Each structure stands twice: as structure tokens, then as C-alpha cells.
Amino acid sequence: QVQLVESGGGSVQAGGSLRLSCVASGYDYGTYCMAWFRQTPGKEREGVATINSVRSTDYVDAVKDRFTISKDNAKNTLYLQMDSLTPEDTGMYYCAADVGDAWYSLMACDLNRRDREYTYWGQGTQVTVSS
């Protein structure tokens, strides 16, 4: 049974921080590619950050130098540390994973991947940043 469960969202003031977590079961985090996406109602879901099996990372320009994606393989947990939050960071944040068994597993693990190019998804956690 493969599942991803996000937590850590909430409401913060601009300039504040949140740490999102995604706990995985059914596979290990040594597999190919994991990512955080976010979505604001009425807008396309966008990739925020990716991390591959050797811990190389990629970030969308809007969050570079403010967000950090990481993982703890022993805990089967993916993290997104979000600092210096702004209202533009508001949205539903989703954890996604590709375990390496799909056609898109040939792609590099970076922000060129679209949301359909991941196999497993969590239910999301809401982040709201007020000014």
C-alpha cells in the first residue's frame, strides 16, 4: 500500500516560517524523484522543489534562497522548510513521488517535470500567509 501524507501547513504572517512534512509508506525514499507542488484556486499547479535519489535539488525561481527541500530516509519523510514567507506563497502544498517504474522515470528529477509525471500524491496541506 503506497501512500504519502503531508502535514505542517497552517496560517502565518508574512516573514514567518513553516516546515512541511510528507511521510511515505509502501516504498523507500531511495527511489528516483520526489517533489513538492503547490496550487492556488484558479491557477495551474506548479512545481516548487524536487529532490532525487542522490539528494540533488531544484527550486522554482520564486522560492530559491527561501525554501529548502530535504529528506530523511530513515524516517521515510520528505520535508520542505519555508522561510521568509510571503502572501504569494499561499496555496495547497502537495507531496509527489516517482519511484522509477514509469516512462517519465527517464526524465531528470527537476522542475521541468509536470504534475502528471509523478506517480504518487498526498492529499495536500494548506499554507496561508497573511500580510
Side-chain angles (χ1 to χ4, degrees):
Q1 182 72 34
V2 177
Q3 60 179 294
L4 305 174
V5 180
E6 303 98 331
S7 63
S11 297
V12 298
Q13 297 285 332
S17 297
L18 288 171
R19 181 179 173 89
L20 307 184
S21 299
C22 171
V23 178
S25 63
Y27 69 98
D28 71 50
Y29 273 67
T31 53
Y32 185 65
C33 188
M34 301 195 74
W36 288 98
F37 283 75
R38 66 185 179 187
Q39 186 169 12
T40 300
K43 295 185 178 181
E44 192 81 7
R45 188 176 300 178
E46 68 169 346
V48 176
T50 62
I51 185 166
N52 73 7
S53 61
V54 295
R55 300 182 188 272
S56 294
T57 59
D58 193 23
Y59 298 91
V60 67
D61 287 346
V63 309
K64 286 181 179 177
D65 303 317
R66 298 189 298 116
F67 290 11
T68 303
I69 187 171
S70 63
K71 60 181 179 178
D72 185 334
N73 289 343
K75 296 182 178 180
N76 289 333
T77 302
L78 179 74
Y79 301 100
L80 186 68
Q81 178 67 44
M82 305 186 295
D83 297 321
S84 301
L85 285 162
T86 74
E88 290 70 38
D89 296 315
T90 293
M92 186 72 73
Y93 283 69
Y94 299 90
C95 174
D98 169 15
V99 300
D101 62 354
W103 69 265
Y104 43 77
S105 300
L106 297 172
M107 300 177 65
C109 184
D110 59 29
L111 269 296
N112 290 320
R113 284 177 174 247
R114 295 190 62 185
D115 52 2
R116 66 175 179 267
E117 292 156 351
Y118 291 88
T119 306
Y120 302 107
W121 290 83
Q123 292 295 307
T125 185
Q126 178 67 37
V127 172
T128 302
V129 185
S130 59
S131 60

